[in-house]
Amino acid sequence: MSTIADIFANYYQYFLRGTRTTIVVSLVTVFFGALIGCLIALLRLSKYKPLSGFAKLYITVIRGTPLLVQLYIVYYQLNFIHYPSGSFLGVELARVIPCIIALSINSGAYVAEVIRAGIQAVDFGQTEAALSCGMTYPQCMWNIVLPQAVKNILPAIGNEFVTMVKETSIIQYLGISDLMYNNGIVVTSTYNPLPCYYISALIYLTLNIVLGKGLNIFETRLKQSER
Amino acid sequence: MSGNVLFDIQGLKKNFGEVEVLKGIDLKIEKGEVVVVIGPSGSGKSTFIRCLNLLETPTDGKILFEGVDIMGKDTKANLHREKVGMVFQQFNLFNNLSVLDNITVSLKKVKKMPEAQAKEKALKLLDRVGLTDKADAYPSQLSGGQKQRIAIVRAMALDPDVMLFDEPTSALDPEMVGEVLKVIQELAEEGVTMVVVTHEMGFARKVGTRILFMDGGVIAEEGTPEQIFEHPQNERTQDFLSKVINVI
């Protein structure tokens, strides 16, 4: 135990710096992942075959290939883009942007499936009733189906967010100074890996507990609004 | 064209994959009629009534509503449905909305009625079915009978030209059937045009102005309640009625 405390006392700056990067990348990824997820879910549910076909293909490919491979493909495939130089909160933009793109594309596929399942879990009778009241399909989705779907979607999407926070650890392979990258620095300077990994594990755990609590509060609020 | 004809249905067919559910239905429904559709399950009654507001897209045939072909390319399904109220077997109240909002939502979104006016109208309708005190309740807090009475006034709120009832009492506990049938009967007495699919033969007889007996995707027999219930001509009608009336 004392080595864990010692290492943290001596190297806490590394861990905190890495944690900051992990939080920033996670938040941005969760945001864009949710955005892409909504879009893909809408395409997936579209009656227009090419659109739903594209969404299906997207989801199949993303779920069927490892995130690490996707990360490298995005990084090398998009190397023609001139990303803005400079850095944000200690992260080099030119390198972190392709990571965020890859992670968001990945997250989007999973979020899309969660949203689709949530929408399809709403009794079709609700749609029929709304349509028979003269609503257009968009009116029916917006006023009747989506408000009910949100309650199915939230718990599952919380899982997806938690997963994403953990999966950002993969960006160390592109040299982004996230928590795991800094963990590596501390390991090589102390030659004592185990305590370092315990510290990192605790930090990830804390982040996800806080995130989980936040989502719980949000869910409870939603339920109250129903009463 | 007669000004009184609401629905003019010609050669209506509906297939689900290989299965031919409606095999050609020809029917005219006039204003003020209460058409009650009876028949064994699987005979196409529900499919037929659902075609009338385009919840099912007919495979073939023609449906004219107030002289307009509702399957035509220029007809918007949502505009047609504004004039055709529908009540479902499973009530289908909007679970995310209060009773009041269930009624006002389409007034506000579809008819673009101001909030206050929509609310006033909804409360008036709730008063008719004796449920004013439930205005702020949510569907999950109501009994089946209450839900269905609200579903009826929700459909009536849009002032439809015709009301469709798809087995409105089949999902109800027996003691709640009466309260729902009473509401429908009152509407019938006010002259609301309606098409009712039901298994309540006593109700069909009392309220219907015309009875259709459907079997195997066609209208096997039609006539006044007296003709159908007292002197059925078709063998299948006789057989069906002998099974549902005086069972014991």
Side-chain angles (χ1 to χ4, degrees):
Chain A
M1 249 346 242
S2 66
T3 44
I4 292 181
D6 288 343
I7 288 178
F8 190 71
N10 289 325
Y11 294 92
Y12 70 92
Q13 282 164 325
Y14 288 91
F15 287 108
L16 291 189
R17 191 176 69 187
T19 305
R20 187 179 63 183
T21 305
T22 292
I23 292 176
V24 171
V25 171
S26 300
L27 287 180
V28 177
T29 301
V30 159
F31 176 76
F32 284 108
L35 218 60
I36 294 175
C38 290
L39 183 72
I40 296 295
L42 282 182
L43 295 184
R44 177 77 174 75
L45 293 168
S46 164
K47 261 188 264 173
Y48 192 51
K49 281 265 157 57
L51 294 184
S52 67
F54 168 77
K56 263 188 217 168
L57 181 70
Y58 178 96
I59 291 166
T60 310
V61 169
I62 295 298
R63 295 208 299 188
T65 53
L67 176 55
L68 186 58
V69 175
Q70 294 164 14
L71 185 68
Y72 280 128
I73 289 180
V74 167
Y75 185 72
Y76 289 114
Q77 186 67 62
L78 299 184
N79 65 356
F80 60 89
I81 298 177
H82 292 288
Y83 299 111
S85 54
S87 62
F88 176 70
L89 291 171
V91 199
E92 212 184 314
L93 286 179
R95 225 182 303 193
V96 82
I97 290 177
C99 290
I100 288 172
I101 293 175
L103 289 170
S104 304
I105 287 176
N106 179 274
S107 177
Y110 291 93
V111 171
E113 281 298 90
V114 167
I115 293 176
R116 179 184 67 88
I119 289 174
Q120 288 183 336
V122 176
D123 179 12
F124 192 63
Q126 300 282 312
T127 303
E128 291 192 332
L131 293 179
S132 73
C133 284
M135 286 189 213
T136 59
Y137 191 71
Q139 283 175 331
C140 154
M141 282 305 273
W142 189 248
N143 295 296
I144 307 299
V145 176
L146 286 180
Q148 297 183 50
V150 166
K151 264 168 269 157
N152 305 328
I153 290 169
L154 261 190
I157 220 163
N159 275 339
E160 173 52 27
F161 289 169
V162 165
T163 305
M164 219 52 236
V165 170
K166 293 183 291 183
E167 295 214 319
T168 55
S169 61
I170 211 165
I171 62 178
Q172 61 166 318
Y173 293 115
L174 286 182
I176 310 290
S177 155
D178 77 329
L179 181 52
M180 284 317 290
Y181 183 89
N182 283 282
N183 182 89
I185 294 174
V186 180
V187 168
T188 44
S189 6
T190 57
Y191 297 114
N192 195 356
L194 191 56
C196 301
Y197 285 113
Y198 273 124
I199 293 170
S200 294
L202 273 175
I203 295 175
Y204 277 117
L205 183 60
T206 313
L207 288 183
N208 279 331
I209 288 174
V210 171
L211 180 61
K213 278 270 181 274
L215 285 165
N216 267 343
I217 293 170
F218 192 54
E219 254 174 73
T220 321
R221 286 247 176 96
L222 263 186
K223 270 185 198 142
Q224 278 167 348
S225 73
E226 176 132 312
R227 289 285 133 233
Chain B
M1 173 164 317
S2 159
N4 271 334
V5 176
L6 213 48
F7 273 113
D8 184 353
I9 300 151
Q10 301 162 9
L12 178 66
K13 287 186 184 172
K14 174 67 186 176
N15 297 356
F16 289 112
E18 298 283 291
V19 188
E20 203 176 20
V21 179
L22 297 180
K23 297 177 182 167
I25 296 204
D26 296 285
L27 183 71
K28 281 193 174 78
I29 297 172
E30 293 190 7
K31 270 182 200 145
E33 274 197 285
V34 177
V35 177
V36 179
V37 187
I38 61 172
S41 50
S43 58
K45 310 182 296 289
S46 282
T47 307
F48 167 65
I49 203 173
R50 286 160 59 85
C51 281
L52 296 183
N53 74 344
L54 297 175
L55 282 181
E56 304 291 353
T57 312
T59 313
D60 197 11
K62 219 176 188 183
I63 301 176
L64 301 180
F65 180 72
E66 296 173 343
V68 180
D69 181 2
I70 62 169
M71 286 150 65
K73 278 192 177 141
D74 303 331
T75 316
K76 291 228 162 83
N78 60 313
L79 296 181
H80 170 62
R81 292 184 187 121
E82 272 183 52
K83 297 182 224 151
V84 182
M86 177 97 173
V87 174
F88 299 87
Q89 182 178 357
Q90 296 297 339
F91 330 127
N92 294 343
L93 290 186
F94 304 133
N95 294 324
N96 58 322
L97 299 178
S98 70
V99 166
L100 191 71
D101 290 340
N102 258 277
I103 302 171
T104 58
V105 66
S106 53
L107 291 175
K108 288 190 287 191
K109 304 293 173 189
V110 177
K111 297 279 187 192
K112 311 291 178 203
M113 196 183 270
E115 169 97 40
Q117 204 185 331
K119 192 175 166 186
E120 195 192 317
K121 181 162 194 183
L123 285 172
K124 226 178 259 172
L125 285 163
L126 280 177
D127 188 46
R128 274 188 62 159
V129 289
L131 289 170
T132 321
D133 56 324
K134 297 288 181 193
D136 296 321
Y138 278 84
S140 58
Q141 299 162 315
L142 303 173
S143 73
Q146 292 169 334
K147 283 184 198 173
Q148 197 62 302
R149 278 141 71 196
I150 289 159
I152 293 171
V153 293
R154 175 179 71 179
M156 288 301 296
L158 292 165
D159 298 319
D161 296 342
V162 57
M163 286 283 289
L164 309 177
F165 294 86
D166 187 4
E167 301 199 26
T169 59
S170 297
L172 293 172
D173 289 339
E175 78 267 27
M176 293 171 184
V177 170
E179 65 190 62
V180 171
L181 292 182
K182 195 172 141 252
V183 173
I184 302 175
Q185 190 180 348
E186 283 167 10
L187 293 178
E189 281 161 5
E190 285 167 28
V192 176
T193 313
M194 43 177 99
V195 183
V196 188
V197 172
T198 188
H199 291 296
E200 299 289 336
M201 294 304 148
F203 171 79
R205 191 172 177 164
K206 196 156 73 179
V207 177
T209 57
R210 182 151 57 126
I211 310 290
L212 307 181
F213 173 72
M214 279 187 71
D215 191 27
V218 295
I219 298 173
E221 185 169 0
E222 65 168 292
T224 63
E226 205 208 339
Q227 284 168 346
I228 297 291
F229 289 105
E230 302 292 336
H231 316 289
Q233 303 299 310
N234 189 308
E235 207 174 289
R236 288 182 293 179
T237 318
Q238 292 165 358
D239 182 53
F240 174 75
L241 289 174
S242 73
K243 280 175 185 154
V244 293
I245 298 176
N246 305 326
V247 179
I248 302 172

